[in-house]
Amino acid sequence: MLTLDYTFMLSDAVPGGVTPAAWSGATDAFASAHASVTARHRSGELGFFDLPADASLLAQVTDFVARTRARYRDVVLLGIGGSALGPVAPRNALRPPQWNMLDDDARERWPRLHVLDNVDPVTIVAILGRVKLPDTLFVVISKSGGTAETMAQYLVVRERLVAAQLPLGDHLVFVTDPTKGALRPIATAEGIPALDIPANVGGRFSVLSPVGLLPAALVGIDVKALLLGAGDIVRRTATDRLAENPAGAFAVLQWLADTTAGKHVHVLMPYADPLRDIASWFVQLWAESLGKAHPDGRHVGPTPVPALGATDQHSQVQLFMEGPLDKTVTFVAVGTPLVDVRIPAMHADVPDLAYLGGHSLWELLNTERRATAGALASRGRPSATIEIDTIDAWHVGGLMMLFEVATAYAGALYGINAFDQPGVELGKQFTYGIMGRPGFDASRLAFDALPRPSQDRRI
Ligand code: PA5
């Protein structure tokens, strides 16, 4: 089960929160946001809603994994943005690095997954130096099939595979748009396997397509359960009744907190190491979807911040407690831990240690979450808590779908398109112009016309 507790988001419980009047007055705004999202989905957009029920995409993944089972020792993922943050979050939630330390058997049975989500040569050289090419599969993920960073990584890897005289079709698999982009025709011409990202699924909403499913399945994650958990959220969010729709309640409360209560910063803070990367994935989803120029000329969008409990209690929580009154914090709580460790009762004569004995590490972590929520509340700072019963594929799929659906609603509430990212284009065009891509001379000229760095302003 996945639940959202928003008691501390409302100002009758926590003074800085959303007023009960604003909350109860938002039912119509939500119904209209829900209708607009549903209409876009029915018109063939927003294909992420359909991924949990897409048996043919799942078959592409499971067939590929069945065909290549036990073939590779290492899998290296090349991608960026949603094509890397997506795969990393479920992988680290469900097969966290700590797990490998515990489970020798799994380490033998499944390949190691490395994710290259940048073009820093230090990392590329390190990973390519560590893997043995004959035992390695490179998964190239790009919806557009043209992203400069991913294409550059691909070219570097391809040159190495060619130099090693390895069959490209055995060591490369593409995950990309069914028809568009540079990768698809290469796959067709050269017999490189290619899995589909449906045309109506955007990068940051693609985790439940082969983008996230293939890497997950390659390392032994139960991808069917991921989809079932996500499907449960699709069902629960079919209603436009705000009080019954957890993604709607999350979206509306964060939107109201931003637009009526000055809470422009939205922190996501899981209290579980395996969920750390869900917060990083959420940051991209919330920021790239909602940070937009509104048609009326305003610039809108909350600033998402990732945090981790209890680690950030010794870092960012000071800011959350006493800094500007501009934040909401959403905790992610886990009902039952995967493992627990009893804290031994020792040093009975040292009060600073003795009180811990007999409790467990999980109890301490969970207590700290409740204490932090309480401390924030007592300073008038709102928070919400999403609780999942346990960290398994079903709940992780549900959690990720909850945030995707909430993002779609939030886009409608802010009155912007949550599914484009025009703001990232100009930097790309400058890069293309400077790197000499044909057709981008004007971008180079525009870049060159910017004020030059001045020596007398350099210290
Ligand atoms: O959400 C998005 O669309 C982007 O963040 C993309 O995921 C990112 O730019 C990578 O794009 P692509 O998958 O086309 O290489």
PDB file of all heavy atoms in Angstrom, residues 19 62 175 315:
ATOM      1  N   THR A  19      -3.924  26.964   3.707  1.00  0.00           N
ATOM      2  CA  THR A  19      -5.125  27.130   4.547  1.00  0.00           C
ATOM      3  C   THR A  19      -6.162  26.065   4.175  1.00  0.00           C
ATOM      4  O   THR A  19      -6.283  25.696   2.998  1.00  0.00           O
ATOM      5  CB  THR A  19      -5.757  28.524   4.362  1.00  0.00           C
ATOM      6  OG1 THR A  19      -6.222  28.633   3.019  1.00  0.00           O
ATOM      7  CG2 THR A  19      -4.778  29.638   4.691  1.00  0.00           C
ATOM      8  N   THR A  62      11.658  -8.639 -21.842  1.00  0.00           N
ATOM      9  CA  THR A  62      11.895  -9.985 -21.290  1.00  0.00           C
ATOM     10  C   THR A  62      12.487 -10.908 -22.356  1.00  0.00           C
ATOM     11  O   THR A  62      13.323 -11.755 -22.047  1.00  0.00           O
ATOM     12  CB  THR A  62      10.604 -10.574 -20.682  1.00  0.00           C
ATOM     13  OG1 THR A  62       9.557 -10.462 -21.645  1.00  0.00           O
ATOM     14  CG2 THR A  62      10.186  -9.839 -19.426  1.00  0.00           C
ATOM     15  N   VAL A 175      17.913   1.698 -27.121  1.00  0.00           N
ATOM     16  CA  VAL A 175      16.547   1.939 -26.645  1.00  0.00           C
ATOM     17  C   VAL A 175      16.203   3.331 -27.133  1.00  0.00           C
ATOM     18  O   VAL A 175      16.813   4.321 -26.689  1.00  0.00           O
ATOM     19  CB  VAL A 175      16.458   1.835 -25.104  1.00  0.00           C
ATOM     20  CG1 VAL A 175      15.012   2.044 -24.651  1.00  0.00           C
ATOM     21  CG2 VAL A 175      16.980   0.492 -24.616  1.00  0.00           C
ATOM     22  N   SER A 315      22.972  18.266   7.837  1.00  0.00           N
ATOM     23  CA  SER A 315      23.385  19.101   6.717  1.00  0.00           C
ATOM     24  C   SER A 315      22.279  20.105   6.403  1.00  0.00           C
ATOM     25  O   SER A 315      22.233  21.191   6.980  1.00  0.00           O
ATOM     26  CB  SER A 315      23.694  18.184   5.519  1.00  0.00           C
ATOM     27  OG  SER A 315      23.921  18.916   4.368  1.00  0.00           O
TER      28      SER A 315
END
